[in-house]
Amino acid sequence: PTEALHSSTAPLVSMKTRNDGRAAAAAAARRLFFSSVGSFACICSDTSVSAFQTTTSGLASLGTPSSYYSERKLIATKEQSRDNKSRLFVTNYSHEEEQEYQINEGEETYFEHQYGWDNYDDTPWFPLTDSVLEEFINSRQMMMEEATTSTETPTSTEILLDSLKPKPIDTVTSQDIEEQFLRMVSNEVEYKQLVGQSPYALTDIKFPVLLQRFLDTIEDSSQKSNGKFKGQSKLQGKDQPRDERKTVVVLGTGWASHAFIKLASTYDLRIVVVSPVNHFVFTPMLASAAVGTVEYRSVTEAIRVTNPYIDNFVEGRAIGVDVEGKKLQVHLTSLGTATGSFKGVASDAPCRLEPEILQSFVEFSEDGSMVQRDQSQGASDVIELSYDYLLCAVGTASRSTIVKGAKQHCFNLKTSQDSKRLRTAIGEALEYASRPDVQEFYYTSEEVQQMATQERKRRVKIAVVGGGPTGVELSGELKDFFAQVCGYPDGAYQHLRDDISVVLIHGGSDLLPAMDKDLRTRALDALHAQGVEVRLNTRLKEVGRDFITIGEKGSDIQETIPVGLTVWAAGNAPVPFVKELLSKLPPSAAGSAGRINVDQWLRCPTYSENSFGSVLVLGDVACYETQEKYDKTPQQLPQTAQVAGQQGAFAARMLNRDYDMQATPPKLPELSESEAFSVLRMWLAARGLEEAPGFDFLSLGLLAYVGQEEALNQVAIGNVPIFNYSGKIAFVLWRTVYLAKQASSRNQALLTFDWVRTKSFGRDITRL
């Protein structure tokens, strides 16, 4: 590559390297800029032309006058004809015309085209004959000579041709710029970063991490059985739980908590779970549950079933904590029943799907620094728990308060209760649009008929806010649902098939920003094909009972859209307890977006050594920074189920192994001779784990459903992309992965039955 780039006479730039065609185009841009030759050709694809333009923009960022290179562009693109022969198209910008040259086969000079592109499919190289080059160079030289000898007033074309002549450049300045840019485009890693590709290759797979995960799985299969059978330990040969077990209070029943509870040894640990809901829910399937593709109970598992031998489950919300005293205050959920036999009467019993609002018992000051408790609450409603370790995995709440009216009028999709409310609301919207007051044939006036039609369409117009996985999957599921229940001739609401609409509002320029560009484009195309109205680069300004107000970025113009339902899937905010916990921690604990900073063992900072290591923060609450191989700055781990689940399992292993969490790094304690030769201790010694390794997230890719039995798969190992796929086959993989990831074999059986039932008989539209 260096020879080709530094050549002072070759009019053609070639790069026979492992870089793809876009690398060659980027190098061609650099060659054109620094070459003393006025013209050149480069065989490349359309995407390579984009790389050429991107690179010339990069030259401008180095302080080079843009006019110097923008007037010297001469690009050649290729097209594969039906007769299997390639043609070279040279766009001559000086004459604003295209010249076509035939490329014959069998020549010795080849250029690699699109290496590693289009799912890593190796495509053939295309030859370029000397005659084509000679004709091309001669014609360009003749134009330059004509422009030079002309005595008339130079035209714009002649000025352009004159700019193609070799020009003296300050030696020091040009060399500095050349070397800097040469390093940028001749290095495959830095070039890929320049054009937005992943710089990781198969050689970057963390094979030691994969090996450790495999060994951890073997250990987990033994350790998670400890305490599952009346507290006995198979590894220790004990029939009862260990004396002086440490108490672990787990806050939440989400991904991190569920993974911890499933793997934690109740022989070694006394586990108490605190949460306002008593079950774990497989959140990626909430969109399916909201339209009846699957049932709620098929994707949930009671925490007491996850590990029947945890010491207790407390249904309530954490409202305060004494970090130094290691005490937690919990407000218990009222157990209102249909008969009112526990507390209250039937008419006053709160809905079990709507626990009491925490703010009615705990009030935060405006800056979030103080917590005031409502003294009118009885002492029996609040209990205090002591702990040795506190696992804070309370998750996040919807960040709907940032938009006027969103909190009051938007439906969320974070819990099973949210999904059930949305399913009920969708059913009510269909019935509301079927009422006689919006049917045209009840009216004789044309004007009134139009008003009735508009009102009917408004009632079944659903707005989804947020273009992440939740918003995209919900949009696809909604279109599937409406295609079935409103389809002709068997749809129960077929009279509404021309009225129903879905609009997806996203503030970014692409849907699914965490996925690769080709999958983002595919998601947009798939939703458009189904009739979803997608508004990109659009901000939600206000939400009303029957309308939303939106506006494009950078514009003051606002648009009001009549809607029947609005679903919020656009962002997360910390729950109130996180503010309470941060108020008891040093300022260094405050992370971005209200999260809590943690070290590589998931410990948050505290004021004293005595309390350090007693509070572990997991999942969406944790602000964990990691430095990857090709990242120049540390990056925060995303708030995803994958991250939370792996952190929960990591915390369970650390506590199962009884590391001293106050030490840095955590170390195994000194044991007696009998305990030192236990199976677990020897296993850890053989693996070299006397000191706890730090948490290392291993991404396995991303999945998303886009409707019509099509999905997007971005499969990876760590940061190394393996393959991207979309369509029906990707849909099969999507379902296979989600089925395998279910909490138990019971859930797998129920989920399979739901899919078969929906395919055979359709979705249930009854509202119970």
Side-chain angles (χ1 to χ4, degrees), residues 148-402:
T148 303
T149 57
S150 176
T151 58
E152 301 178 5
T153 303
T155 63
S156 58
T157 300
E158 292 169 344
I159 295 174
L160 176 67
L161 290 173
D162 183 67
S163 68
L164 294 174
K165 294 181 180 180
K167 297 182 178 181
I169 308 176
D170 181 75
T171 305
V172 176
T173 304
S174 64
Q175 285 181 350
D176 291 343
I177 298 176
E178 179 174 357
E179 290 302 323
Q180 183 178 355
F181 193 74
L182 176 61
R183 287 193 298 270
M184 183 185 300
V185 299
S186 62
N187 182 290
E188 183 174 3
V189 170
E190 294 189 5
Y191 164 71
K192 287 185 175 181
Q193 290 177 325
L194 176 69
V195 296
Q197 295 182 27
S198 173
Y200 292 89
L202 292 178
T203 54
D204 295 317
I205 294 178
K206 299 179 180 179
F207 290 103
V209 175
L210 291 177
L211 176 60
Q212 292 299 323
R213 289 297 173 88
F214 174 73
L215 298 177
D216 285 340
T217 303
I218 297 175
E219 179 183 331
D220 293 342
S221 63
S222 306
Q223 283 292 94
K224 70 180 182 180
S225 299
N226 286 356
K228 301 295 178 65
F229 304 98
K230 298 182 180 180
Q232 66 183 358
S233 172
K234 293 185 176 181
L235 292 180
Q236 298 286 348
K238 305 290 185 181
D239 295 329
Q240 296 298 326
R242 189 173 70 179
D243 294 337
E244 299 180 356
R245 290 182 299 165
K246 292 184 177 180
T247 300
V248 181
V249 175
V250 182
L251 301 182
T253 52
W255 285 89
S257 301
H258 183 262
F260 178 87
I261 296 166
K262 197 167 187 177
L263 296 181
S265 168
T266 53
Y267 168 81
D268 302 288
L269 304 169
R270 179 181 289 107
I271 299 174
V272 179
V273 182
V274 177
S275 177
V277 295
N278 73 337
H279 60 270
F280 161 78
V281 59
F282 191 82
T283 50
M285 299 298 295
L286 285 177
S288 297
V291 297
T293 305
V294 300
E295 294 298 325
Y296 317 105
R297 296 187 183 277
S298 300
V299 293
T300 58
E301 181 182 61
I303 286 299
R304 292 186 182 273
V305 174
T306 301
N307 189 338
Y309 293 100
I310 60 175
D311 277 69
N312 204 357
F313 168 78
V314 179
E315 191 166 347
R317 294 175 183 267
I319 61 173
V321 61
D322 179 2
V323 175
E324 300 303 320
K326 298 183 180 180
K327 295 183 182 298
L328 180 76
Q329 293 82 44
V330 179
H331 184 272
L332 301 176
T333 300
S334 297
L335 297 176
T337 65
T339 62
S341 57
F342 293 113
K343 183 180 180 181
V345 294
S347 59
D348 297 328
C351 176
R352 293 294 295 112
L353 298 179
E354 299 178 357
E356 292 90 346
I357 301 175
L358 182 61
Q359 283 81 350
S360 64
F361 304 102
V362 177
E363 298 178 355
F364 294 91
S365 60
E366 293 184 1
D367 60 0
S369 60
M370 293 180 57
V371 178
Q372 298 177 345
R373 287 177 175 72
D374 188 347
Q375 300 299 325
S376 65
Q377 297 303 314
S380 60
D381 291 334
V382 178
I383 64 173
E384 191 171 72
L385 300 175
S386 298
Y387 64 83
D388 294 298
Y389 296 110
L390 176 66
L391 265 65
C392 181
V394 293
T396 55
S398 294
R399 194 167 53 122
S400 55
T401 54
I402 62 176

Side-chain angles (χ1 to χ4, degrees), residues 538-539 541 549-560:
T538 303
R539 295 291 192 188
K541 302 294 185 179
T549 301
I550 61 175
E552 290 189 8
K553 283 184 176 179
S555 174
D556 296 330
I557 301 175
Q558 296 187 359
E559 177 185 358
T560 298

Side-chain angles (χ1 to χ4, degrees), residues 591-660:
S592 62
R595 299 159 74 182
I596 301 176
N597 288 326
V598 296
D599 64 8
Q600 57 184 314
W601 296 279
L602 307 180
R603 304 172 299 185
C604 66
T606 59
Y607 279 110
S608 70
E609 294 183 1
N610 181 55
S611 59
F612 181 66
S614 63
V615 180
L616 305 181
V617 183
L618 317 177
D620 293 349
V621 187
C623 184
Y624 184 94
E625 291 189 344
T626 179
Q627 181 76 51
E628 296 297 340
K629 182 176 180 180
Y630 298 120
D631 291 337
K632 296 180 179 179
T633 58
Q635 301 292 326
Q636 295 178 10
L637 290 182
Q639 295 172 298
T640 63
Q642 269 195 82
V643 174
Q646 292 185 29
Q647 287 180 341
F650 175 78
R653 294 186 193 105
M654 284 199 301
L655 299 188
N656 285 345
R657 296 166 180 172
D658 198 23
Y659 283 115
D660 179 5

Side-chain angles (χ1 to χ4, degrees), residues 20 22 45 47 114-123 197:
D20 56 29
R22 293 189 289 182
S45 66
T47 54
Q114 293 286 87
Y115 183 88
W117 187 250
D118 193 16
N119 290 330
Y120 303 93
D121 182 25
D122 290 335
T123 55
Q197 295 182 27

Side-chain angles (χ1 to χ4, degrees), residues 29 32-33 40 52-53 55-57 59-60 64-75 91-94 159-161 163-164 167:
L32 172 62
F33 180 76
F40 80 102
F52 183 101
Q53 296 167 345
T55 308
T56 54
S57 299
L59 283 170
T64 305
S66 58
S67 60
Y68 184 80
Y69 62 83
S70 63
E71 295 178 351
R72 304 183 70 199
K73 289 191 295 185
L74 188 63
I75 307 174
T91 302
N92 189 336
Y93 282 87
S94 60
I159 295 174
L160 176 67
L161 290 173
S163 68
L164 294 174
K167 297 182 178 181

Side-chain angles (χ1 to χ4, degrees), residues 523-596:
L524 182 62
D525 294 342
L527 293 181
H528 278 158
Q530 298 173 71
V532 177
E533 181 184 357
V534 181
R535 300 287 193 95
L536 299 176
N537 294 312
T538 303
R539 295 291 192 188
L540 183 67
K541 302 294 185 179
E542 184 180 356
V543 181
R545 184 179 61 85
D546 55 2
F547 72 91
I548 60 172
T549 301
I550 61 175
E552 290 189 8
K553 283 184 176 179
S555 174
D556 296 330
I557 301 175
Q558 296 187 359
E559 177 185 358
T560 298
I561 303 176
V563 297
L565 296 175
T566 305
V567 184
W568 182 273
N572 300 319
V575 300
F577 177 74
V578 176
K579 295 182 180 179
E580 168 71 356
L581 179 56
L582 280 171
S583 69
K584 303 299 178 65
L585 299 175
S588 60
S592 62
R595 299 159 74 182
I596 301 176

